[in-house]
Amino acid sequence: MAETLEFNDIYQEVKGSMNDGRLRLSRQGIIFKNSKTGKVDNIQAGELTEGIWRRVALGHGLKLLTKNGHVYKYDGFRESEFEKLSDFFKTHYRLELMEKDLCVKGWNWGTVKFGGQLLSFDIGDQPVFEIPLSNVSQCTTGKNEVTLEFHQNDDAEVSLMEVRFYVPPTQEDGVDPVEAFAQNVLSKADVIQATGDAICIFRELQCLTPRGRYDIRIYPTFLHLHGKTFDYKIPYTTVLRLFLLPHKDQRQMFFVISLDPPIKQGQTRYHFLILLFSKDEDISLTLNMNEEEVEKRFEGRLTKNMSGSLYEMVSRVMKALVNRKITVPGNFQGHSGAQCITCSYKASSGLLYPLERGFIYVHKPPVHIRFDEISFVNFARGTTTTRSFDFEIETKQGTQYTFSSIEREEYGKLFDFVNAKKLNIKNRGLKEGMNPSYDDYADSDEDQHDAYLERMKEEGKIREENANDSSDDSGEETDESFNPGEEEEDVAEEFDSNASASSSSNEGDSDRDEKKRKQLKRAKMAKDRKSRKKPMEMKKGKDPSAPKRPMSAYMLWLNASREKIKSDHPGISITDLSKKAGEIWKGMSKEKKEEWDRKAEDARREYEKAMKEYEGGRGESSKRDKSKKKKKVKVKMEKKSTPSRGSSSKSASRQLSESFKSKEFVSSDESSSGENKSKKKRRRSEDSEEELASTPPSSEDSASGSDE
């Protein structure tokens, strides 16, 4: 039997929304990690009291009940996984996983049962629907009627807003069934009621989101923000994380509260509550509780009388009431010594804090990105100036965040930090050993020696020194590439060290050199274009007289059956016809397919026979063409070797040229224009006159010898 079971793409129902995540069952208990928020639910094996398997909208679901009355629902299982889960529950949890189907009769009359934090509407022994009472935001009563209102789900397109129950009157004296129903709901519902006095009040605190100054009243179960225009009541159950971040000026502090679901102001949603404090502001605080109650409730984490910095008091009280750890920046230090980086996100300037397990940006809009949801990061060249760069983060869900206008001096520090956390860097490529070793259900902070990291730190120091040296020079901006491993381009021809702008002669020489370089570049480009065109010109066209390739058995059958398919399915499109033909061919018996296979084999043999005849005929024709070319060459050689001296030699050459003309010569003469014919006539008349006036061969030879 396996020690653990893991399931991906499991959905947990929380406050009316289905949250995607990963579920792991082990001998110690059950762990579910929310993919969206990173929140982890841990159910100990000893707390489980009941497990129910049932069919739901998303396949099959698992409903778990614990000793303290909590109900957990996980959907998205396959039917085949029931046996595996049932055996696991029996072996490790000593529980019988029961199958219990929902009632689908459609009746609206039944009985209501309250069990733990769940309201169940049953017909007979089968439940029709269940309502987690933590989803209820308000409960009102009327005559024989109870109305339940629910928290609105921002992620869903359609939300259930209210349900009304008709409660018939009973004959029992002194017990109102409507009030009893309402009290059972309110005892477990997530209804915020400001009953009693606040534990403590912080006056006029500066809030960045939502913007303004608010009085913060701390109640046992919720936080009340009271401003001049708006009021917000925030249950502690909606708080995900707490952050305490120092400002870059070292004089102020941010206190960030991450919320899910967010607080609402009209159509605006605030997922983060950001408070800004001055470090110099102190306060003395007295809790509105006696010392015994303080000791019993907070177990030494708070005292009745406290004093110190305002931000310390607020963070200390929130940590004790929410019962969550406060996240502070890790060991990262930027170029200026601060634990953050100045940058811009969505046209607003802010601060990016590299944390031990993620990044957080404050303040407009606030962004928190966990390392385990990062697919890769990218260092990009700045768009406006070379003195800065952009830092891009892409998550596994495909969301991209771009933090721009980061000073170049921060590059080495941030690059070292990303390497130390073993995040994938896109423009460097995935290096061996750089895969992040994060647990799917919990973060790992184990530090191990990394030789590559040590080397990158040394390179970062060298880059930093070079950057400082270059900034102390003439002040000219250098265009550095922020892509690690990318080589710089050679730009010596644009910045020649021998060039001088003092004399006009040198300027003229440089202009002539520039023109020569451009001409050589153009000639090289033209040569490259010609070399690219040559292979295209050398391609031979397909011979139309060559035999066609044989068709496959399927194509032979399709050509024979196309009309029949069209008649059986009138109006069918070409694509649908091909799909239908494929289905018919797939379902055809082996005997019928063999008939078409034989036809295809016959066609292939005929093709091979035709190809042999075609190739043999082509070889003979090529031999004839070669012999014709040889004859033409011989004729031309004879014409060139005839004597060109004396009247007899000229007349002989004319007679030879008139008596024999090659095919090309005849075709060119026939196709020549009238001007060419007249020119030839004039030449012939001039030649005849020269013959009449010519001297005997002996005297001509002697004359030519004397001339020489």
Side-chain angles (χ1 to χ4, degrees), residues 296-327:
K296 184 179 178 181
R297 180 178 176 84
F298 301 112
E299 299 175 352
R301 289 175 291 177
L302 296 178
T303 58
K304 182 175 175 61
N305 297 303
M306 296 180 292
S307 61
S309 299
L310 180 58
Y311 73 88
E312 287 182 356
M313 293 296 102
V314 173
S315 58
R316 189 175 170 185
V317 170
M318 286 298 299
K319 180 182 178 182
L321 286 165
V322 177
N323 198 22
R324 295 201 179 275
K325 190 181 76 171
I326 294 178
T327 303

PDB file of all heavy atoms in Angstrom, residues 296-327:
ATOM      1  N   LYS A 296      -5.062  34.722  29.252  1.00  0.00           N
ATOM      2  CA  LYS A 296      -5.758  33.516  28.807  1.00  0.00           C
ATOM      3  C   LYS A 296      -5.924  33.483  27.291  1.00  0.00           C
ATOM      4  O   LYS A 296      -5.761  32.440  26.648  1.00  0.00           O
ATOM      5  CB  LYS A 296      -7.126  33.447  29.482  1.00  0.00           C
ATOM      6  CG  LYS A 296      -7.905  32.182  29.164  1.00  0.00           C
ATOM      7  CD  LYS A 296      -9.243  32.189  29.888  1.00  0.00           C
ATOM      8  CE  LYS A 296     -10.041  30.938  29.534  1.00  0.00           C
ATOM      9  NZ  LYS A 296     -11.366  30.937  30.223  1.00  0.00           N
ATOM     10  N   ARG A 297      -6.232  34.632  26.706  1.00  0.00           N
ATOM     11  CA  ARG A 297      -6.511  34.671  25.264  1.00  0.00           C
ATOM     12  C   ARG A 297      -5.237  34.690  24.438  1.00  0.00           C
ATOM     13  O   ARG A 297      -5.143  34.021  23.398  1.00  0.00           O
ATOM     14  CB  ARG A 297      -7.379  35.891  24.938  1.00  0.00           C
ATOM     15  CG  ARG A 297      -7.730  36.014  23.465  1.00  0.00           C
ATOM     16  CD  ARG A 297      -8.628  37.204  23.216  1.00  0.00           C
ATOM     17  NE  ARG A 297      -8.896  37.372  21.798  1.00  0.00           N
ATOM     18  CZ  ARG A 297      -9.838  36.731  21.122  1.00  0.00           C
ATOM     19  NH1 ARG A 297     -10.624  35.856  21.739  1.00  0.00           N
ATOM     20  NH2 ARG A 297     -10.018  36.959  19.828  1.00  0.00           N
ATOM     21  N   PHE A 298      -4.243  35.469  24.839  1.00  0.00           N
ATOM     22  CA  PHE A 298      -3.065  35.688  23.989  1.00  0.00           C
ATOM     23  C   PHE A 298      -1.830  34.931  24.465  1.00  0.00           C
ATOM     24  O   PHE A 298      -0.811  34.933  23.756  1.00  0.00           O
ATOM     25  CB  PHE A 298      -2.751  37.184  23.897  1.00  0.00           C
ATOM     26  CG  PHE A 298      -3.891  37.996  23.325  1.00  0.00           C
ATOM     27  CD1 PHE A 298      -4.585  38.898  24.124  1.00  0.00           C
ATOM     28  CD2 PHE A 298      -4.282  37.843  22.008  1.00  0.00           C
ATOM     29  CE1 PHE A 298      -5.627  39.638  23.606  1.00  0.00           C
ATOM     30  CE2 PHE A 298      -5.324  38.585  21.483  1.00  0.00           C
ATOM     31  CZ  PHE A 298      -6.007  39.480  22.287  1.00  0.00           C
ATOM     32  N   GLU A 299      -1.869  34.307  25.631  1.00  0.00           N
ATOM     33  CA  GLU A 299      -0.800  33.439  26.121  1.00  0.00           C
ATOM     34  C   GLU A 299       0.575  34.106  26.088  1.00  0.00           C
ATOM     35  O   GLU A 299       1.545  33.565  25.575  1.00  0.00           O
ATOM     36  CB  GLU A 299      -0.765  32.135  25.312  1.00  0.00           C
ATOM     37  CG  GLU A 299      -2.049  31.333  25.420  1.00  0.00           C
ATOM     38  CD  GLU A 299      -2.027  30.114  24.526  1.00  0.00           C
ATOM     39  OE1 GLU A 299      -1.078  29.991  23.714  1.00  0.00           O
ATOM     40  OE2 GLU A 299      -2.948  29.298  24.624  1.00  0.00           O
ATOM     41  N   GLY A 300       0.636  35.332  26.584  1.00  0.00           N
ATOM     42  CA  GLY A 300       1.910  36.021  26.704  1.00  0.00           C
ATOM     43  C   GLY A 300       2.344  36.795  25.478  1.00  0.00           C
ATOM     44  O   GLY A 300       3.359  37.508  25.531  1.00  0.00           O
ATOM     45  N   ARG A 301       1.621  36.676  24.363  1.00  0.00           N
ATOM     46  CA  ARG A 301       2.012  37.424  23.153  1.00  0.00           C
ATOM     47  C   ARG A 301       1.681  38.907  23.281  1.00  0.00           C
ATOM     48  O   ARG A 301       2.304  39.744  22.624  1.00  0.00           O
ATOM     49  CB  ARG A 301       1.306  36.832  21.934  1.00  0.00           C
ATOM     50  CG  ARG A 301       1.824  35.460  21.529  1.00  0.00           C
ATOM     51  CD  ARG A 301       1.016  34.861  20.412  1.00  0.00           C
ATOM     52  NE  ARG A 301      -0.342  34.505  20.861  1.00  0.00           N
ATOM     53  CZ  ARG A 301      -1.292  34.022  20.082  1.00  0.00           C
ATOM     54  NH1 ARG A 301      -1.041  33.833  18.796  1.00  0.00           N
ATOM     55  NH2 ARG A 301      -2.484  33.719  20.570  1.00  0.00           N
ATOM     56  N   LEU A 302       0.677  39.233  24.110  1.00  0.00           N
ATOM     57  CA  LEU A 302       0.320  40.627  24.380  1.00  0.00           C
ATOM     58  C   LEU A 302       0.193  40.826  25.883  1.00  0.00           C
ATOM     59  O   LEU A 302      -0.080  39.884  26.637  1.00  0.00           O
ATOM     60  CB  LEU A 302      -1.007  40.996  23.702  1.00  0.00           C
ATOM     61  CG  LEU A 302      -1.087  40.969  22.170  1.00  0.00           C
ATOM     62  CD1 LEU A 302      -2.487  41.322  21.710  1.00  0.00           C
ATOM     63  CD2 LEU A 302      -0.076  41.906  21.539  1.00  0.00           C
ATOM     64  N   THR A 303       0.378  42.079  26.305  1.00  0.00           N
ATOM     65  CA  THR A 303       0.144  42.459  27.703  1.00  0.00           C
ATOM     66  C   THR A 303      -0.884  43.581  27.741  1.00  0.00           C
ATOM     67  O   THR A 303      -1.155  44.224  26.721  1.00  0.00           O
ATOM     68  CB  THR A 303       1.451  42.917  28.373  1.00  0.00           C
ATOM     69  OG1 THR A 303       2.002  44.017  27.629  1.00  0.00           O
ATOM     70  CG2 THR A 303       2.463  41.777  28.426  1.00  0.00           C
ATOM     71  N   LYS A 304      -1.433  43.828  28.928  1.00  0.00           N
ATOM     72  CA  LYS A 304      -2.489  44.847  29.036  1.00  0.00           C
ATOM     73  C   LYS A 304      -1.946  46.231  28.708  1.00  0.00           C
ATOM     74  O   LYS A 304      -2.594  47.013  28.018  1.00  0.00           O
ATOM     75  CB  LYS A 304      -3.096  44.816  30.445  1.00  0.00           C
ATOM     76  CG  LYS A 304      -4.240  45.822  30.648  1.00  0.00           C
ATOM     77  CD  LYS A 304      -4.876  45.656  32.011  1.00  0.00           C
ATOM     78  CE  LYS A 304      -5.920  46.728  32.263  1.00  0.00           C
ATOM     79  NZ  LYS A 304      -7.014  46.683  31.288  1.00  0.00           N
ATOM     80  N   ASN A 305      -0.750  46.562  29.170  1.00  0.00           N
ATOM     81  CA  ASN A 305      -0.136  47.870  28.912  1.00  0.00           C
ATOM     82  C   ASN A 305       1.135  47.661  28.085  1.00  0.00           C
ATOM     83  O   ASN A 305       2.038  46.922  28.489  1.00  0.00           O
ATOM     84  CB  ASN A 305       0.211  48.582  30.219  1.00  0.00           C
ATOM     85  CG  ASN A 305      -1.030  48.882  31.046  1.00  0.00           C
ATOM     86  OD1 ASN A 305      -1.946  49.548  30.570  1.00  0.00           O
ATOM     87  ND2 ASN A 305      -1.061  48.376  32.278  1.00  0.00           N
ATOM     88  N   MET A 306       1.183  48.334  26.936  1.00  0.00           N
ATOM     89  CA  MET A 306       2.339  48.227  26.038  1.00  0.00           C
ATOM     90  C   MET A 306       2.700  49.607  25.516  1.00  0.00           C
ATOM     91  O   MET A 306       1.829  50.488  25.387  1.00  0.00           O
ATOM     92  CB  MET A 306       2.021  47.304  24.856  1.00  0.00           C
ATOM     93  CG  MET A 306       1.740  45.861  25.242  1.00  0.00           C
ATOM     94  SD  MET A 306       1.362  44.818  23.812  1.00  0.00           S
ATOM     95  CE  MET A 306      -0.220  45.489  23.325  1.00  0.00           C
ATOM     96  N   SER A 307       3.968  49.800  25.175  1.00  0.00           N
ATOM     97  CA  SER A 307       4.418  51.069  24.601  1.00  0.00           C
ATOM     98  C   SER A 307       5.558  50.791  23.636  1.00  0.00           C
ATOM     99  O   SER A 307       6.286  49.801  23.771  1.00  0.00           O
ATOM    100  CB  SER A 307       4.874  52.039  25.698  1.00  0.00           C
ATOM    101  OG  SER A 307       5.969  51.494  26.408  1.00  0.00           O
ATOM    102  N   GLY A 308       5.716  51.680  22.667  1.00  0.00           N
ATOM    103  CA  GLY A 308       6.767  51.526  21.666  1.00  0.00           C
ATOM    104  C   GLY A 308       6.389  52.248  20.389  1.00  0.00           C
ATOM    105  O   GLY A 308       5.485  53.106  20.371  1.00  0.00           O
ATOM    106  N   SER A 309       7.088  51.925  19.324  1.00  0.00           N
ATOM    107  CA  SER A 309       6.789  52.552  18.030  1.00  0.00           C
ATOM    108  C   SER A 309       5.397  52.147  17.575  1.00  0.00           C
ATOM    109  O   SER A 309       4.930  51.026  17.840  1.00  0.00           O
ATOM    110  CB  SER A 309       7.818  52.121  16.987  1.00  0.00           C
ATOM    111  OG  SER A 309       9.121  52.522  17.380  1.00  0.00           O
ATOM    112  N   LEU A 310       4.717  53.052  16.886  1.00  0.00           N
ATOM    113  CA  LEU A 310       3.343  52.803  16.456  1.00  0.00           C
ATOM    114  C   LEU A 310       3.267  51.595  15.533  1.00  0.00           C
ATOM    115  O   LEU A 310       2.368  50.747  15.672  1.00  0.00           O
ATOM    116  CB  LEU A 310       2.791  54.057  15.754  1.00  0.00           C
ATOM    117  CG  LEU A 310       1.365  53.973  15.232  1.00  0.00           C
ATOM    118  CD1 LEU A 310       0.379  53.636  16.337  1.00  0.00           C
ATOM    119  CD2 LEU A 310       0.970  55.273  14.536  1.00  0.00           C
ATOM    120  N   TYR A 311       4.228  51.473  14.590  1.00  0.00           N
ATOM    121  CA  TYR A 311       4.163  50.356  13.645  1.00  0.00           C
ATOM    122  C   TYR A 311       4.399  49.025  14.357  1.00  0.00           C
ATOM    123  O   TYR A 311       3.832  47.995  13.992  1.00  0.00           O
ATOM    124  CB  TYR A 311       5.156  50.563  12.497  1.00  0.00           C
ATOM    125  CG  TYR A 311       6.612  50.367  12.836  1.00  0.00           C
ATOM    126  CD1 TYR A 311       7.209  49.115  12.754  1.00  0.00           C
ATOM    127  CD2 TYR A 311       7.402  51.441  13.233  1.00  0.00           C
ATOM    128  CE1 TYR A 311       8.551  48.936  13.053  1.00  0.00           C
ATOM    129  CE2 TYR A 311       8.732  51.270  13.541  1.00  0.00           C
ATOM    130  CZ  TYR A 311       9.301  50.015  13.451  1.00  0.00           C
ATOM    131  OH  TYR A 311      10.635  49.828  13.761  1.00  0.00           O
ATOM    132  N   GLU A 312       5.236  49.047  15.423  1.00  0.00           N
ATOM    133  CA  GLU A 312       5.476  47.822  16.179  1.00  0.00           C
ATOM    134  C   GLU A 312       4.227  47.388  16.940  1.00  0.00           C
ATOM    135  O   GLU A 312       3.906  46.191  17.000  1.00  0.00           O
ATOM    136  CB  GLU A 312       6.639  48.031  17.156  1.00  0.00           C
ATOM    137  CG  GLU A 312       7.999  48.089  16.486  1.00  0.00           C
ATOM    138  CD  GLU A 312       9.119  48.249  17.498  1.00  0.00           C
ATOM    139  OE1 GLU A 312       8.812  48.383  18.707  1.00  0.00           O
ATOM    140  OE2 GLU A 312      10.290  48.240  17.088  1.00  0.00           O
ATOM    141  N   MET A 313       3.503  48.333  17.513  1.00  0.00           N
ATOM    142  CA  MET A 313       2.287  48.010  18.270  1.00  0.00           C
ATOM    143  C   MET A 313       1.205  47.443  17.352  1.00  0.00           C
ATOM    144  O   MET A 313       0.549  46.447  17.673  1.00  0.00           O
ATOM    145  CB  MET A 313       1.760  49.266  18.986  1.00  0.00           C
ATOM    146  CG  MET A 313       2.667  49.779  20.096  1.00  0.00           C
ATOM    147  SD  MET A 313       2.856  48.611  21.463  1.00  0.00           S
ATOM    148  CE  MET A 313       4.469  47.936  21.099  1.00  0.00           C
ATOM    149  N   VAL A 314       1.009  48.084  16.199  1.00  0.00           N
ATOM    150  CA  VAL A 314      -0.025  47.614  15.260  1.00  0.00           C
ATOM    151  C   VAL A 314       0.316  46.215  14.764  1.00  0.00           C
ATOM    152  O   VAL A 314      -0.544  45.314  14.744  1.00  0.00           O
ATOM    153  CB  VAL A 314      -0.167  48.596  14.077  1.00  0.00           C
ATOM    154  CG1 VAL A 314      -1.112  48.036  13.017  1.00  0.00           C
ATOM    155  CG2 VAL A 314      -0.675  49.942  14.556  1.00  0.00           C
ATOM    156  N   SER A 315       1.568  45.993  14.361  1.00  0.00           N
ATOM    157  CA  SER A 315       1.951  44.689  13.833  1.00  0.00           C
ATOM    158  C   SER A 315       1.884  43.613  14.915  1.00  0.00           C
ATOM    159  O   SER A 315       1.482  42.473  14.655  1.00  0.00           O
ATOM    160  CB  SER A 315       3.356  44.756  13.228  1.00  0.00           C
ATOM    161  OG  SER A 315       4.292  45.184  14.201  1.00  0.00           O
ATOM    162  N   ARG A 316       2.228  43.959  16.144  1.00  0.00           N
ATOM    163  CA  ARG A 316       2.200  42.985  17.244  1.00  0.00           C
ATOM    164  C   ARG A 316       0.774  42.565  17.575  1.00  0.00           C
ATOM    165  O   ARG A 316       0.497  41.373  17.773  1.00  0.00           O
ATOM    166  CB  ARG A 316       2.877  43.606  18.470  1.00  0.00           C
ATOM    167  CG  ARG A 316       3.109  42.641  19.605  1.00  0.00           C
ATOM    168  CD  ARG A 316       3.900  43.330  20.705  1.00  0.00           C
ATOM    169  NE  ARG A 316       3.945  42.512  21.911  1.00  0.00           N
ATOM    170  CZ  ARG A 316       4.487  42.914  23.064  1.00  0.00           C
ATOM    171  NH1 ARG A 316       5.047  44.134  23.135  1.00  0.00           N
ATOM    172  NH2 ARG A 316       4.494  42.131  24.119  1.00  0.00           N
ATOM    173  N   VAL A 317      -0.144  43.534  17.633  1.00  0.00           N
ATOM    174  CA  VAL A 317      -1.550  43.223  17.922  1.00  0.00           C
ATOM    175  C   VAL A 317      -2.154  42.392  16.799  1.00  0.00           C
ATOM    176  O   VAL A 317      -2.873  41.409  17.041  1.00  0.00           O
ATOM    177  CB  VAL A 317      -2.346  44.530  18.144  1.00  0.00           C
ATOM    178  CG1 VAL A 317      -3.849  44.244  18.197  1.00  0.00           C
ATOM    179  CG2 VAL A 317      -1.901  45.220  19.423  1.00  0.00           C
ATOM    180  N   MET A 318      -1.875  42.756  15.544  1.00  0.00           N
ATOM    181  CA  MET A 318      -2.432  42.017  14.404  1.00  0.00           C
ATOM    182  C   MET A 318      -1.898  40.589  14.362  1.00  0.00           C
ATOM    183  O   MET A 318      -2.634  39.643  14.073  1.00  0.00           O
ATOM    184  CB  MET A 318      -2.106  42.736  13.096  1.00  0.00           C
ATOM    185  CG  MET A 318      -2.915  44.002  12.864  1.00  0.00           C
ATOM    186  SD  MET A 318      -4.682  43.677  12.737  1.00  0.00           S
ATOM    187  CE  MET A 318      -4.728  42.611  11.323  1.00  0.00           C
ATOM    188  N   LYS A 319      -0.637  40.415  14.670  1.00  0.00           N
ATOM    189  CA  LYS A 319      -0.056  39.071  14.655  1.00  0.00           C
ATOM    190  C   LYS A 319      -0.714  38.181  15.702  1.00  0.00           C
ATOM    191  O   LYS A 319      -0.985  36.992  15.460  1.00  0.00           O
ATOM    192  CB  LYS A 319       1.454  39.169  14.904  1.00  0.00           C
ATOM    193  CG  LYS A 319       2.157  37.816  14.903  1.00  0.00           C
ATOM    194  CD  LYS A 319       3.634  37.964  15.207  1.00  0.00           C
ATOM    195  CE  LYS A 319       4.313  36.593  15.242  1.00  0.00           C
ATOM    196  NZ  LYS A 319       5.759  36.706  15.587  1.00  0.00           N
ATOM    197  N   ALA A 320      -1.001  38.749  16.891  1.00  0.00           N
ATOM    198  CA  ALA A 320      -1.612  37.966  17.956  1.00  0.00           C
ATOM    199  C   ALA A 320      -3.059  37.606  17.632  1.00  0.00           C
ATOM    200  O   ALA A 320      -3.503  36.483  17.904  1.00  0.00           O
ATOM    201  CB  ALA A 320      -1.545  38.744  19.270  1.00  0.00           C
ATOM    202  N   LEU A 321      -3.815  38.529  17.034  1.00  0.00           N
ATOM    203  CA  LEU A 321      -5.230  38.280  16.754  1.00  0.00           C
ATOM    204  C   LEU A 321      -5.425  37.402  15.520  1.00  0.00           C
ATOM    205  O   LEU A 321      -6.269  36.518  15.507  1.00  0.00           O
ATOM    206  CB  LEU A 321      -5.969  39.610  16.574  1.00  0.00           C
ATOM    207  CG  LEU A 321      -6.215  40.382  17.873  1.00  0.00           C
ATOM    208  CD1 LEU A 321      -6.612  41.814  17.574  1.00  0.00           C
ATOM    209  CD2 LEU A 321      -7.307  39.710  18.700  1.00  0.00           C
ATOM    210  N   VAL A 322      -4.659  37.653  14.473  1.00  0.00           N
ATOM    211  CA  VAL A 322      -4.804  36.887  13.229  1.00  0.00           C
ATOM    212  C   VAL A 322      -4.106  35.533  13.354  1.00  0.00           C
ATOM    213  O   VAL A 322      -4.456  34.577  12.656  1.00  0.00           O
ATOM    214  CB  VAL A 322      -4.238  37.693  12.041  1.00  0.00           C
ATOM    215  CG1 VAL A 322      -4.313  36.905  10.751  1.00  0.00           C
ATOM    216  CG2 VAL A 322      -4.992  39.003  11.890  1.00  0.00           C
ATOM    217  N   ASN A 323      -3.107  35.468  14.235  1.00  0.00           N
ATOM    218  CA  ASN A 323      -2.343  34.237  14.450  1.00  0.00           C
ATOM    219  C   ASN A 323      -1.593  33.820  13.179  1.00  0.00           C
ATOM    220  O   ASN A 323      -1.600  32.653  12.781  1.00  0.00           O
ATOM    221  CB  ASN A 323      -3.258  33.109  14.934  1.00  0.00           C
ATOM    222  CG  ASN A 323      -2.468  31.984  15.575  1.00  0.00           C
ATOM    223  OD1 ASN A 323      -1.331  32.186  16.017  1.00  0.00           O
ATOM    224  ND2 ASN A 323      -3.043  30.794  15.615  1.00  0.00           N
ATOM    225  N   ARG A 324      -0.968  34.793  12.512  1.00  0.00           N
ATOM    226  CA  ARG A 324      -0.151  34.519  11.328  1.00  0.00           C
ATOM    227  C   ARG A 324       1.213  35.183  11.486  1.00  0.00           C
ATOM    228  O   ARG A 324       1.355  36.242  12.109  1.00  0.00           O
ATOM    229  CB  ARG A 324      -0.832  35.035  10.063  1.00  0.00           C
ATOM    230  CG  ARG A 324      -2.125  34.309   9.763  1.00  0.00           C
ATOM    231  CD  ARG A 324      -2.499  34.450   8.309  1.00  0.00           C
ATOM    232  NE  ARG A 324      -3.728  33.739   8.006  1.00  0.00           N
ATOM    233  CZ  ARG A 324      -3.802  32.456   7.709  1.00  0.00           C
ATOM    234  NH1 ARG A 324      -2.697  31.731   7.686  1.00  0.00           N
ATOM    235  NH2 ARG A 324      -4.959  31.895   7.446  1.00  0.00           N
ATOM    236  N   LYS A 325       2.203  34.586  10.855  1.00  0.00           N
ATOM    237  CA  LYS A 325       3.571  35.096  10.927  1.00  0.00           C
ATOM    238  C   LYS A 325       3.702  36.366  10.084  1.00  0.00           C
ATOM    239  O   LYS A 325       3.070  36.490   9.026  1.00  0.00           O
ATOM    240  CB  LYS A 325       4.538  34.030  10.414  1.00  0.00           C
ATOM    241  CG  LYS A 325       5.998  34.368  10.660  1.00  0.00           C
ATOM    242  CD  LYS A 325       6.912  33.292  10.110  1.00  0.00           C
ATOM    243  CE  LYS A 325       7.011  33.393   8.613  1.00  0.00           C
ATOM    244  NZ  LYS A 325       8.052  32.510   8.060  1.00  0.00           N
ATOM    245  N   ILE A 326       4.530  37.300  10.566  1.00  0.00           N
ATOM    246  CA  ILE A 326       4.784  38.529   9.809  1.00  0.00           C
ATOM    247  C   ILE A 326       6.015  38.309   8.931  1.00  0.00           C
ATOM    248  O   ILE A 326       7.078  37.894   9.414  1.00  0.00           O
ATOM    249  CB  ILE A 326       4.999  39.732  10.748  1.00  0.00           C
ATOM    250  CG1 ILE A 326       3.703  40.045  11.503  1.00  0.00           C
ATOM    251  CG2 ILE A 326       5.449  40.954   9.959  1.00  0.00           C
ATOM    252  CD1 ILE A 326       3.823  41.187  12.479  1.00  0.00           C
ATOM    253  N   THR A 327       5.869  38.585   7.635  1.00  0.00           N
ATOM    254  CA  THR A 327       6.964  38.419   6.672  1.00  0.00           C
ATOM    255  C   THR A 327       7.757  39.718   6.569  1.00  0.00           C
ATOM    256  O   THR A 327       7.173  40.798   6.381  1.00  0.00           O
ATOM    257  CB  THR A 327       6.406  38.041   5.293  1.00  0.00           C
ATOM    258  OG1 THR A 327       5.623  36.856   5.411  1.00  0.00           O
ATOM    259  CG2 THR A 327       7.526  37.789   4.301  1.00  0.00           C
TER     260      THR A 327
END
